[in-house]
Amino acid sequence: MKKVLIISLGMIALISFPVFSQESELEFGGYLEDTLSSERNIALDKTVVSNQTRIRLNIKNSYGDRGDLSVAIVGTRYSGYKTINLCDYLPEEEASRFPTAVSYDKTDDIWFQEAYGSLYLGQTTLRAGRQKYYTGTGYAWNPTDLFNWKDVFDPAYEIEGLDSVLFARSLPGDSLVSLYYSFGTSHDRPQRDYVESEDGDYQFKLKTHLFSWEITLQHSDVIKEYVDYEGVLNGTVDPTAMTSPIRWKLNALEVSGELAGIGIHAEGGEYTLSRPDDKDGDLPGKLESHTKYLVGADYTFENGVFVILEYYHEGLGETNLEDYSLNQRMAYYSGERDSLGKDNYYLGTSFPVTDFSTLALYVITNGNDGSTILNPWFTWIADDDISLYLSAQIPDGEEESAIGRSGSVLFGRLVFNF
Amino acid sequence: MKLRILLVILINLFFLSKLLVAQEMTALEILKKVDEVEKYDHAIMEMEQVITTSGGDKRLLKIKSWSVNTGDKQLAVYTYPKRVKGVKILMLNDGDDIWSYSPRTRRIRHLASHAKKQKVMGSDFTYEDMGGGKMSEKYTGKLKGEETFEDVSCYVLEMIPTPKGPSYGRIVGWIGKHDFVARKIDYYNKGDKKPFKTLFLRDVQNRDGHLVPMEMVMKNHEDDGTTENLTLNIDFKTPIQASRFKSNRLNR
């Protein structure tokens, strides 16, 4: 009810823009993207090929400097191998514990990735509706971003919009104070039945500058799901109650700047976890209050070679692969968590081969179990509006390590912007 | 009598030559003159950029930019092609602080100053080529002589970057003797004897009392590519709100 009220009020305010302003500019755009991928499925002992065709249509109506209405509609169509079975990535011994596959099929879909209205009142921005919202300074990982899931193999790819309201106000000295309230729903997660609307997620942020450093203080309060596969398999948890809400409270700091000409970025904070559905209950599995942080450095050499290095400390990570639990592994393969190990490294380098093409190599290493994934990228701007991306993921490590039974992946992506 | 006249002429010629030598400008004075010519309070510019590879492959980009205090603060917004439409680059403090914004991801990124060495959108211009600042503060100059370049009489200056200056080893500039507008600049890497790229500045026009080279061509000698920047429109009269240069507002 509260959600409907806020969105309605926001939309009413935005629809009234034409009253305030004569000038209005309507823009159309978007892209058509085709991704062909080939993955070695070790569990099935075969190479599976899949194709995703994705189209995004952007429509934006700007009312001068007073605001805008923006909609992004995304449609996807899949062909080839469409099944994602999380058990395929588990070590064989763990996978054999499941009587049935934990899988889903990718289905053709069309949805609103974004649909929001913005109102700009001098130094104040009010944005309501489905919108993208980021936080964090890290490239490969953003441990202080509790709202989004990030793909370490394609960290610059666009994210999904969240149903939310943003209030931001610029302060003197290019500082900013903002309050972001999310209903916790999006296209990927249409509803959260177990949480009352009053338990929505929020983030308070204060960003400022000190010399050439950008510094952000953040407090977040987010409800995330915990899925207890282990409990179901052990018979201690009813399958209908295998998902429980966990409240994540975060006090964090983000910085970016430079030291001796080297770019430095860092983010991290203290996470306090609790169960909103059972105030006296213990946290399930291996969950506990903890600390996460990321420290990174980057540099561009005279010849144009760019290098980035990041270290990510995951407080909930393990130092030994024998300690990985089934629930931790499942959360990792489903994207609910971004690492199994406590100490993670990301090394990347890119080089402009020609004016319109770039070659890059990224190496993602779990410092605790020794597993490594090589992630080369080749980018070619084929025409003014056509880009081609070729990439691979080449894992190396024990089956019991974080990579499990992940096989090599090759993919090509062609993007036409219109 | 003839001898006396000859003596007077010789004496006059001697003093005249002394006077001319005294009027010969030092490199620092020339650089300060360049700073005066390049100085502006605010400018709004529309530009086309044509990138041509050695194979003849071409890309056209269109850019609208706002800048104040001779480029101390600059905001560039790409308007064409669709692939980069809406990408914004904000440079503050003469290009020492750079932010970029991508409309596809809606993400604002703060770049470290080493990013100034990177090429912008595949062009032969780097962020530091686009950065503002005073030539007399970014370089220490040495007058190498005078030459005529493309029918313009020029001072030839060798310039070594100061700690505030760009990352190049040195540059050599051909500066118009009468208007103090640069006509050609050779860029050298540290220790190199040959320039790795050369900037040609042509079609100098007076716009709102400012001399502006409407055509800038950067020739890259390493990959044989070129980038042409063609100024379509430049407006020095319309004031620009300071809020346009706030990094927090890039996603508006």
Side-chain angles (χ1 to χ4, degrees), chain A residues 33 114 122 124-125 132 134 136 156 158 174 207 214 256 258 298-300 355-356 381-382 384-385, chain B residues 53 59-60 81-83 85 99 104-107 110 112-114 117-119 122 223 247-249 252:
Chain A
E33 179 183 283
E114 292 175 289
T124 303
T125 298
K132 293 173 182 177
Y134 286 97
E158 65 189 47
D174 207 9
K207 184 160 82 175
E214 196 168 85
S256 69
E258 64 180 83
D298 52 84
Y299 190 73
T300 306
D355 287 342
F356 306 133
I381 309 302
D384 278 344
D385 285 315
Chain B
T53 65
R59 299 284 182 277
L60 170 67
K82 295 278 189 181
R83 176 175 53 82
K85 189 177 180 185
W99 284 264
R104 178 163 172 171
T105 60
R106 305 247 188 273
R107 186 153 201 152
H110 182 207
S113 65
H114 62 74
K117 290 179 267 184
Q118 293 174 2
K119 290 178 166 191
D223 62 13
S247 63
N248 295 322
R249 293 165 67 113
R252 278 194 173 185

Side-chain angles (χ1 to χ4, degrees), chain A residues 141-383:
Chain A
W141 299 283
N142 290 121
T144 61
D145 188 347
L146 288 172
F147 296 95
N148 301 293
W149 172 80
K150 194 169 190 177
D151 183 358
V152 72
F153 303 118
D154 197 0
Y157 198 72
E158 65 189 47
I159 55 167
E160 290 299 319
L162 297 168
D163 302 329
S164 51
V165 178
L166 171 71
F167 168 85
R169 180 161 177 83
S170 292
L171 302 173
D174 207 9
S175 297
L176 182 85
V177 61
S178 67
L179 182 63
Y180 176 74
Y181 183 90
S182 165
F183 301 103
T185 53
S186 62
H187 167 66
D188 293 336
R189 186 180 294 169
Q191 57 185 24
R192 294 199 305 187
D193 290 336
Y194 53 86
V195 181
E196 294 296 320
S197 60
E198 283 74 16
D199 285 328
D201 306 330
Y202 71 88
Q203 182 182 75
F204 172 78
K205 238 179 179 182
L206 177 65
K207 184 160 82 175
T208 190
H209 295 85
L210 192 61
F211 303 109
S212 64
W213 291 82
E214 196 168 85
I215 298 166
T216 306
L217 292 167
Q218 182 212 122
H219 173 76
S220 300
D221 190 327
V222 174
I223 304 279
K224 291 168 81 84
E225 288 177 346
Y226 177 80
V227 188
D228 193 354
Y229 296 96
E230 192 97 50
V232 173
L233 291 176
N234 293 340
T236 54
V237 173
D238 188 275
T240 58
M242 69 187 294
T243 301
S244 54
I246 304 294
R247 181 183 294 280
W248 292 60
K249 283 191 179 181
L250 167 65
N251 291 311
L253 178 71
E254 303 164 30
V255 294
S256 69
E258 64 180 83
L259 281 175
I262 297 171
I264 303 289
H265 57 272
E267 59 176 296
E270 190 71 34
Y271 295 76
T272 306
L273 275 57
S274 62
R275 293 187 69 158
D277 60 338
D278 182 3
K279 290 183 172 48
D280 301 320
D282 292 331
L283 291 166
K286 292 188 167 187
L287 289 184
E288 59 184 1
S289 295
H290 61 284
T291 303
K292 290 183 209 270
Y293 61 86
L294 176 142
V295 182
D298 52 84
Y299 190 73
T300 306
F301 291 92
E302 310 295 330
N303 57 6
V305 172
F306 172 76
V307 177
I308 182 167
L309 174 67
E310 289 187 341
Y311 166 73
Y312 169 35
H313 178 88
E314 155 66 284
L316 285 180
E318 303 294 345
T319 52
N320 193 320
L321 58 84
E322 288 163 5
D323 296 328
Y324 295 157
S325 71
L326 180 65
N327 283 344
Q328 286 177 324
R329 287 183 188 276
M330 294 298 273
Y332 178 58
Y333 298 131
S334 66
E336 286 298 315
R337 60 184 292 163
D338 44 25
S339 166
L340 285 175
K342 199 175 276 291
D343 306 295
N344 305 279
Y345 302 90
Y346 184 86
L347 173 65
T349 179
S350 69
F351 176 73
V353 183
T354 68
D355 287 342
F356 306 133
S357 60
T358 307
L359 196 59
L361 177 66
Y362 302 99
V363 182
I364 303 114
T365 301
N366 179 323
N368 305 107
D369 66 21
S371 62
T372 294
I373 301 172
L374 297 178
N375 182 212
W377 275 89
F378 175 72
T379 306
W380 178 41
I381 309 302
D383 199 3

